[in-house]
Amino acid sequence: MIKRPPDNSKFPEELWAYVCEHFEAEILDYLSFWQVVDVKGRYLHYDEFRYRIPKGINPDLAWALTKKARKSAQQFLINFGEENISKYVETSLIQKTKTIVDQSTTTAALEWANKKVGEGQNIAYMLEDLIEDEAISSSQLEGAATTTLVAKEMIKRKREPRSMDERMIIGNFKMMKFVWDKRLLPLTTDLIKELHAIGVGGIDDEKYTPGTFRLTDNVVVEDKDGNIVHQPPPAAGLDERLQSLCNWVNTDHDDIESQSYIHSLVKAICIHFSIGYEHPFNDGNGRVARALFYWFMFKKDYGAFRYISISNLLKEATTQYGKSYLYTETDEMDMTYFIDYQCSVIMRAVAAFKSHCQKTVENIESFDTWLFNSGVYGRLSGKQRIVFQVAKNSPNTIFTARYVEEKLHCSYNTAATVLNGLVELNLFDKNKDGKEWVYSLRDKQDIQKNWMS
């Protein structure tokens, strides 16, 4: 269980006076705790802080000094009811993440990547594989047992889900498409309900009650041992609190010269936290919270987030994800814990996206050199080149005529001709799965061997 911080509403002046009188040589040791982070730059909660105090130092006094430093540096964010006023401190990690997000994930940055890859309007198709990752990972984070490979195959073939786990993934996929399509709309409670209904509808309607806010207080968050770690605010007043959240989200905080300025990334993370904290639905709250994070990033023109999955990393450290919620809740709604942790995840997610783009460029350049020199490239039509580029950059991707028809905006017959032509050139394999033909890239070494023989 999380160790709550001691009550520092009144600074322990008597204890500080005692230290000054009896341990003058140690005063500097105490003063070293008058800072918002530790010597390693970590914004520690008391739960961890108390274990990193040198012997002979009173942990409660050291904590009181740290809290004083933090309160002097805090910035106002959002109210959670009349008494829970949330604030945060700009750690160096938060600052770095904001800069990287601004540099690498805006729509303008994505357009630059288009030119770098050299495929213009088709880079979105090349990165299509990444769009599915958040929907799949977010479902797996909530317990869906379907493998990523099977989930991708289901989405690409548009086949009907065969289990509740697969329905969760399809629901999340639809939800991510919904937030992209609705990114220009203001946030309303009806939009939140509609998002939930799309994400969980048809999975287990009795359990999820799609699109309906909870009416009781029997919804709790438990740890893996069944201990209650979060009791959401009461259902009474939920509609009013969510309306207040919507009003805050719809308020312009973009003026960097204003005292009310909040960076879009920080605001999106706050929306994520707010839905998780309020837990407005019987189930499926985490998926809605993460989807609304993306909705706001899309709204603020960070288009590259279509290809960046935070859930892919959150599912690798679910304990830390949960603790970042609890640390905030147990320490006077200090949002720094949650924002800082989310930024650590987003930093890695953006780095993975940039690495994928770089590898895409390198793979295209190196393999295209061989394709050109071997004469293979000259035998491909424009549409075949696009499909082939996608396939060689995502070797596990499968293709169907329906899928290519949708992505290349061509007729079904044209899509089938494109794929069958790739088979005839010994670049793709073709197999029957039920009533549908499924195509996939042959091993690259086999392709080169066949064309050199």
Side-chain angles (χ1 to χ4, degrees), residues 1-146:
M1 295 294 289
I2 300 295
K3 177 68 173 178
R4 289 178 175 269
D7 181 11
N8 286 320
S9 57
K10 293 184 178 179
F11 187 75
E13 295 175 350
E14 297 83 0
L15 182 56
W16 180 240
Y18 181 81
V19 170
C20 291
E21 182 179 352
H22 297 281
F23 300 102
E24 293 182 7
E26 296 180 7
I27 291 177
L28 291 178
D29 292 333
Y30 276 97
L31 286 177
S32 68
F33 290 98
W34 192 289
Q35 55 186 354
V36 297
V37 295
D38 71 356
V39 292
K40 295 184 178 180
R42 297 172 298 189
Y43 197 90
L44 297 175
H45 185 275
Y46 183 77
D47 186 55
E48 299 175 289
F49 178 93
R50 59 196 169 121
Y51 292 119
R52 291 171 170 80
I53 302 301
K55 189 174 181 180
I57 297 292
N58 183 300
D60 288 356
L61 176 55
W63 174 254
L65 291 166
T66 296
K67 283 292 292 183
K68 280 282 187 180
R70 289 178 177 180
K71 287 187 175 182
S72 66
Q74 285 178 337
Q75 303 175 48
F76 172 76
L77 277 176
I78 181 176
N79 287 348
F80 291 93
E82 295 182 0
E83 298 181 358
N84 290 327
I85 301 174
S86 70
K87 298 182 180 181
Y88 85 110
V89 175
E90 281 267 298
T91 65
S92 59
L93 175 59
I94 295 172
Q95 293 170 353
K96 288 177 184 177
T97 307
K98 291 192 304 184
T99 300
I100 288 172
V101 165
D102 285 341
Q103 291 175 340
S104 306
T105 71
T106 62
T107 302
L110 198 59
E111 288 172 354
W112 177 87
N114 286 350
K115 295 176 183 178
K116 185 75 173 175
V117 172
E119 291 294 331
Q121 71 275 18
N122 295 310
I123 188 173
Y125 189 17
M126 293 180 185
L127 299 176
E128 186 77 23
D129 205 47
L130 300 181
I131 287 182
E132 302 150 3
D133 285 355
E134 175 59 26
I136 294 168
S137 297
S138 186
S139 299
Q140 292 170 335
L141 184 57
E142 300 294 328
T146 305

Side-chain angles (χ1 to χ4, degrees), residues 328-436:
T328 291
E329 189 177 351
T330 56
D331 189 7
E332 301 178 321
M333 296 305 286
D334 183 348
M335 289 283 289
T336 314
Y337 301 111
F338 190 78
I339 296 171
D340 197 70
Y341 177 67
Q342 289 294 314
C343 282
S344 71
V345 169
I346 291 165
M347 280 267 282
R348 288 183 289 144
V350 172
F353 166 71
K354 292 171 65 177
S355 175
H356 183 93
C357 288
Q358 183 62 36
K359 287 179 181 177
T360 296
V361 172
E362 292 172 356
N363 288 340
I364 288 172
E365 291 174 348
S366 61
F367 199 52
D368 277 1
T369 299
W370 175 82
L371 288 171
F372 181 79
N373 292 336
S374 66
V376 176
Y377 206 68
R379 300 275 299 275
L380 300 179
S381 69
K383 287 183 171 58
Q384 285 175 332
R385 289 176 183 179
I386 294 170
V387 173
F388 189 62
Q389 295 280 29
V390 175
K392 66 187 179 66
N393 288 306
S394 301
N396 293 323
T397 300
I398 64 164
F399 298 83
T400 65
R402 293 291 181 201
Y403 182 68
V404 172
E405 173 190 15
E406 177 189 346
K407 298 306 175 185
L408 292 186
H409 306 290
C410 61
S411 69
Y412 178 86
N413 288 338
T414 298
T417 299
V418 167
L419 291 169
N420 286 322
L422 291 168
V423 173
E424 291 170 7
L425 290 169
N426 290 318
L427 300 175
F428 271 31
D429 285 325
K430 176 181 179 181
N431 296 288
K432 197 72 175 288
D433 188 350
K435 296 181 179 180
E436 189 172 35

Side-chain angles (χ1 to χ4, degrees), residues 180-441:
W180 173 257
D181 292 341
K182 304 296 183 181
R183 65 190 184 279
L184 300 181
L185 295 179
L187 187 63
T188 64
T189 55
D190 285 341
L191 188 70
I192 297 173
K193 290 177 181 178
E194 188 177 359
L195 177 61
H196 183 260
I198 289 171
V200 305
I203 298 175
D204 184 342
D205 290 356
E206 186 175 342
K207 171 186 176 184
Y208 287 96
T209 58
T212 304
F213 291 152
R214 60 184 173 87
L215 300 174
T216 63
D217 296 333
N218 62 348
V219 175
V220 296
V221 180
E222 298 179 342
D223 62 18
K224 61 183 179 180
D225 298 319
N227 301 308
I228 296 176
V229 294
H230 174 58
Q231 175 70 59
L238 177 60
D239 287 81
E240 291 78 8
R241 295 195 303 274
L242 289 177
Q243 183 58 56
S244 178
L245 171 64
C246 292
N247 294 341
W248 178 78
V249 171
N250 297 330
T251 299
D252 184 2
H253 294 104
D254 294 336
D255 183 1
I256 200 166
E257 300 295 331
S258 169
Q259 290 291 325
S260 63
Y261 170 75
I262 304 173
H263 190 279
S264 296
L265 177 65
V266 172
K267 194 168 176 178
I269 293 172
C270 287
I271 299 169
H272 179 167
F273 177 89
S274 299
I275 297 298
Y277 176 76
E278 286 286 358
H279 249 61
F281 302 104
N282 288 334
D283 209 336
N285 294 283
R287 279 160 273 176
V288 171
R290 291 185 291 276
L292 283 173
F293 164 84
Y294 280 97
W295 169 83
F296 193 77
M297 294 304 286
F298 296 158
K299 172 183 283 292
K300 293 301 178 180
D301 213 23
Y302 291 91
F305 269 87
R306 291 196 79 192
Y307 313 104
I308 296 171
S309 172
I310 59 171
S311 294
N312 200 32
L313 296 172
L314 289 175
K315 71 178 183 180
E316 295 176 2
T318 55
T319 299
Q320 285 302 112
Y321 181 34
K323 278 185 176 181
S324 67
Y325 268 107
L326 295 177
Y327 284 170
T328 291
E329 189 177 351
T330 56
D331 189 7
E332 301 178 321
M333 296 305 286
D334 183 348
M335 289 283 289
T336 314
Y337 301 111
F338 190 78
I339 296 171
D340 197 70
Y341 177 67
Q342 289 294 314
C343 282
S344 71
V345 169
I346 291 165
M347 280 267 282
R348 288 183 289 144
V350 172
F353 166 71
K354 292 171 65 177
S355 175
H356 183 93
C357 288
Q358 183 62 36
K359 287 179 181 177
T360 296
V361 172
E362 292 172 356
N363 288 340
I364 288 172
E365 291 174 348
S366 61
F367 199 52
D368 277 1
T369 299
W370 175 82
L371 288 171
F372 181 79
N373 292 336
S374 66
V376 176
Y377 206 68
R379 300 275 299 275
L380 300 179
S381 69
K383 287 183 171 58
Q384 285 175 332
R385 289 176 183 179
I386 294 170
V387 173
F388 189 62
Q389 295 280 29
V390 175
K392 66 187 179 66
N393 288 306
S394 301
N396 293 323
T397 300
I398 64 164
F399 298 83
T400 65
R402 293 291 181 201
Y403 182 68
V404 172
E405 173 190 15
E406 177 189 346
K407 298 306 175 185
L408 292 186
H409 306 290
C410 61
S411 69
Y412 178 86
N413 288 338
T414 298
T417 299
V418 167
L419 291 169
N420 286 322
L422 291 168
V423 173
E424 291 170 7
L425 290 169
N426 290 318
L427 300 175
F428 271 31
D429 285 325
K430 176 181 179 181
N431 296 288
K432 197 72 175 288
D433 188 350
K435 296 181 179 180
E436 189 172 35
W437 287 105
V438 177
Y439 302 79
S440 58
L441 181 71

